[in-house]
């Protein structure tokens, strides 16, 4: 079964750090772009970051650039997000998701999602 | 930045009816790069349509996508009770790489 399982969420004070993990199974992890998408309580979806198959290309939303770092370990079939200098508006459910190749080398959508891990930033 | 605006915000229909959900982009979007998702309460989003009109694996054929340029549509031909949830459109582009619409809630009339 193709599966993504996130972990590492929790309650943290503003300015603090967290490291999210996403364990992949049921598919060849190293063949796919991977992404983090977040959803604030009662709000819509926001793309946060993504990473290519070997980790050499990484892209970030402006809202997290310079504070969050996406990485992966293909030997462990795992995706990570190191989150530093957390702010109250980073409070959200964080989903990892697998990229879908739509044309050429472009991964334009997300076909497998984890169940999400909740990050709460509050004093 | 390409902004996606979904309409209506809430759509009230009855089971068995046809639903038409709209997604308008602030700039032209390649048809290859427009997707639709369904999200049930407390669950992760589920990919329905990618490339504007290609159904994802396992998606029933009552779901269809169409459109080009700045206007895209998700159509649900005959609503089932489990279809009354929230739907998002999403585009792939540059800076930011991916953006989502604000969502359309489909509710039972």
């Amino acid at each position: 079964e193709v599966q993504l399982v996130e972990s590492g969420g929790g309650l943290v004070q503003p300015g603090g750090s967290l490291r999210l993990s996403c364990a992949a199974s049921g598919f060849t992890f190293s063949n796919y772009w991977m992404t983090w998408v977040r959803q604030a309580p009662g709000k819509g979806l926001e793309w946060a970051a993504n990473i290519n198959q070997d980790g050499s290309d990484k892209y970030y939303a402006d809202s997290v650039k310079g504070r969050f770092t996406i990485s992966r370990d293909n030997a462990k079939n795992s995706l990570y997000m190191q989150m530093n200098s957390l702010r109250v508006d980073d409070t959200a459910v964080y989903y990892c998701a697998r990229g879908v190749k739509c044309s050429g080398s472009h991964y334009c959508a997300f076909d497998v999602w984890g169940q999400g891990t909740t990050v709460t930033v509050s004093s | 930045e390409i902004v996606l605006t979904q309409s209506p915000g809430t759509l009230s229909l009855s089971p068995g009816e046809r639903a038409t959900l709209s997604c308008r982009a602030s700039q032209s979007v390649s048809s290859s790069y427009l997707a639709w998702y369904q999200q049930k309460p407390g669950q992760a989003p589920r990919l329905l349509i990618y490339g504007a009109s290609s159904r994802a694996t396992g998606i029933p054929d009552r779901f269809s996508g169409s459109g080009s340029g700045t206007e895209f549509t998700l159509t649900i031909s005959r609503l089932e009770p489990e279809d009354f949830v929230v739907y998002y459109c999403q585009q792939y582009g540059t800076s930011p790489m991916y953006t989502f619409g604000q969502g359309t809630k489909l509710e039972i009339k």
Side-chain angles (χ1 to χ4, degrees):
Chain A
E1 178 191 7
V2 174
Q3 196 172 12
L4 297 171
V5 179
E6 302 94 335
S7 60
L11 174 64
V12 62
Q13 292 187 338
S17 298
L18 275 179
R19 188 192 194 210
L20 305 183
S21 299
C22 171
S25 59
F27 65 100
T28 306
F29 179 71
S30 59
N31 285 353
Y32 291 88
W33 278 75
M34 296 297 296
T35 292
W36 288 99
V37 174
R38 66 183 185 178
Q39 187 169 36
K43 303 297 184 181
L45 302 166
E46 180 190 19
W47 168 73
N50 66 346
I51 187 168
N52 71 339
Q53 291 90 333
D54 65 5
S56 59
D57 285 337
K58 305 174 186 182
Y59 299 90
Y60 299 93
D62 287 346
S63 57
V64 307
K65 197 176 296 181
R67 301 186 299 120
F68 291 11
T69 302
I70 190 172
S71 62
R72 66 192 296 162
D73 185 336
N74 287 341
K76 294 183 178 180
N77 291 329
S78 292
L79 176 73
Y80 306 101
M81 182 80 102
Q82 177 66 42
M83 304 188 298
N84 298 332
S85 302
L86 282 161
R87 310 187 301 220
V88 171
D89 62 358
D90 293 319
T91 295
V93 175
Y94 285 74
Y95 297 101
C96 67
R98 187 179 80 171
V100 173
K101 184 184 285 189
C102 295
S103 68
S105 61
H106 299 282
Y107 286 76
C108 64
F110 316 115
D111 67 339
V112 179
W113 295 66
Q115 85 290 350
T117 188
T118 300
V119 172
T120 303
V121 185
S122 174
S123 55
Chain B
E1 173 181 346
I2 296 179
V3 176
L4 298 179
T5 302
Q6 294 186 238
S7 61
T10 301
L11 182 59
S12 300
L13 292 169
S14 300
E17 290 192 300
R18 179 186 186 91
T20 302
L21 286 65
S22 174
C23 177
R24 175 173 292 177
S26 59
Q27 303 171 45
S28 185
V29 173
S30 168
S31 296
S32 298
Y33 301 153
L34 196 288
W36 290 92
Y37 300 84
Q38 176 192 68
Q39 188 176 32
K40 298 180 178 180
Q43 295 187 17
R46 173 194 183 195
L47 178 65
L48 298 174
I49 302 288
Y50 65 97
S53 60
S54 298
R55 268 188 301 276
T57 302
I59 301 304
D61 60 6
R62 67 177 184 275
F63 292 91
S64 64
S66 63
S68 63
T70 60
E71 300 282 347
F72 296 88
T73 300
L74 174 70
T75 301
I76 311 171
S77 59
R78 295 171 308 279
L79 287 165
E80 299 286 344
E82 63 268 25
D83 297 337
F84 290 89
V85 291
V86 179
Y87 295 85
Y88 294 95
C89 59
Q90 170 251 311
Q91 70 87 31
Y92 162 73
T94 56
S95 192
M97 188 170 279
Y98 304 92
T99 55
F100 291 87
Q102 84 281 13
T104 289
K105 180 180 180 181
L106 190 49
E107 67 174 22
I108 297 178
K109 188 173 183 179

